[in-house]
Amino acid sequence: MNTELISKAEEFENRKFKFVTTSDRIVASREAKALILEINEVYKETKDVTLMDLMKRLTVVKQKIEKRLKGAPLTV
């Protein structure tokens, strides 16, 4: 299960993110969150450093997606 989860997370991380619609971005953000939480559960048991690094990288991707979702702030 551990290697399956890691391979799924790495596939998500290396995917090209070209989202046409807002719903695509929402789905990707939720998928990233789910992967991070699953990896966190395994990390709590094993304390594997590579899992922590993977979670950090996925969090960066998730933050970029959410930043695009929220849009640019309106300035006067």
Side-chain angles (χ1 to χ4, degrees):
M1 178 186 146
N2 199 7
T3 57
E4 177 184 318
L5 184 61
I6 291 172
S7 65
K8 190 176 7 172
E10 288 176 346
E11 184 272 327
F12 178 83
E13 182 183 16
N14 295 326
R15 193 182 304 166
K16 297 289 182 192
F17 293 107
K18 183 178 180 186
F19 304 115
V20 180
T21 64
T22 301
S23 63
D24 291 343
R25 290 184 202 101
I26 292 171
V27 168
S29 177
R30 288 179 181 167
E31 184 179 352
K33 181 178 180 179
L35 284 170
I36 291 167
L37 292 175
E38 285 181 56
I39 294 170
N40 190 34
E41 290 301 317
V42 175
Y43 176 77
K44 285 179 186 176
E45 298 169 6
T46 62
K47 302 292 185 200
D48 188 6
V49 177
T50 59
L51 291 177
M52 179 56 79
D53 292 337
L54 184 59
M55 282 193 295
K56 287 179 182 178
R57 293 193 315 260
L58 285 175
T59 301
V60 168
V61 171
K62 182 177 175 289
Q63 287 173 343
K64 288 180 182 178
I65 294 169
E66 288 179 346
K67 186 176 184 180
R68 178 70 177 101
L69 265 174
K70 292 179 181 171
L74 298 175
T75 57
V76 178

